[in-house]
Amino acid sequence: MNNKSYEYINDFLFFILKPDAIRGRNSFLYCSGINIDRFLPITKGRHRPMSNPAIRGLQLVNLGVRALALEHGATPITLRGNECAGSIPLKDSWSAEHLLISNVPASLPDKIISYCVINLLKKIDKAIMLGATLPDKLLQPDELQLFIEAMCIKYGS
């Protein structure tokens, strides 16, 4: 069984996969979130009140994680409650999502993290039609933070 946690965290977002042996062998709790406040410079005024592009991007990425899990023989399971509460920073306003993924093959956690980070930015960019040039490979969390900060300065409203 894989007991390793996988984390990608910066001031704008987080994606975490942590083993959940209580719920079964090769099961992982998937936690994800975006800092609504930090994304505001590029999302403010570019959406309807109930449809923030960063939140919607996170929701779409999580649907993609479900599809990716199924594609690799794993099973995504919707959870009720707040199993990821300890992962959500207390500073700023965060939108977070979570699910359980069971029967996870060893190669899947790294693929999930990479998919999430790369596709979140693409989905946000598409929703607000910036046409920004985005990284097509996974940057280190601090590098991505600098990249998004630069986007907020360049495209901020």
Side-chain angles (χ1 to χ4, degrees), residues 59-93:
Q59 293 167 342
L60 292 172
V61 163
N62 287 340
L63 289 174
V65 167
R66 290 173 181 270
L68 192 60
L70 290 170
E71 182 182 308
H72 286 83
T75 305
I77 301 165
T78 301
L79 296 173
R80 305 285 179 231
N82 199 5
E83 285 84 350
C84 294
S87 302
I88 303 169
L90 300 176
K91 183 179 161 198
D92 297 327
S93 298

Side-chain angles (χ1 to χ4, degrees), residues 88-156:
I88 303 169
L90 300 176
K91 183 179 161 198
D92 297 327
S93 298
W94 288 79
S95 178
E97 303 227 352
H98 66 277
L99 63 110
L100 179 70
I101 307 173
S102 65
N103 199 31
V104 176
S107 63
L108 188 56
D110 285 325
K111 288 178 184 175
I112 288 175
I113 297 292
S114 181
Y115 168 85
C116 291
V117 175
I118 291 169
N119 284 283
L120 176 65
L121 291 182
K122 288 180 180 179
K123 297 204 182 296
I124 293 170
D125 182 66
K126 184 176 181 180
I128 56 182
M129 298 182 284
L130 291 178
T133 302
L134 302 172
D136 56 359
K137 66 179 177 90
L138 185 64
L139 302 176
Q140 292 300 312
D142 57 338
E143 293 174 314
L144 184 68
Q145 180 165 320
L146 291 173
F147 178 84
I148 299 172
E149 287 171 347
M151 280 183 65
C152 287
I153 291 167
K154 182 176 182 178
Y155 298 107

Side-chain angles (χ1 to χ4, degrees), residues 24-48:
R25 189 168 188 263
N26 292 332
S27 292
F28 283 81
L29 180 61
Y30 163 81
C31 303
S32 62
I34 54 105
N35 184 329
I36 299 165
D37 297 336
R38 293 294 301 250
F39 276 102
L40 272 179
I42 58 174
T43 61
K44 186 177 178 182
R46 291 186 166 99
H47 59 86
R48 296 183 187 135

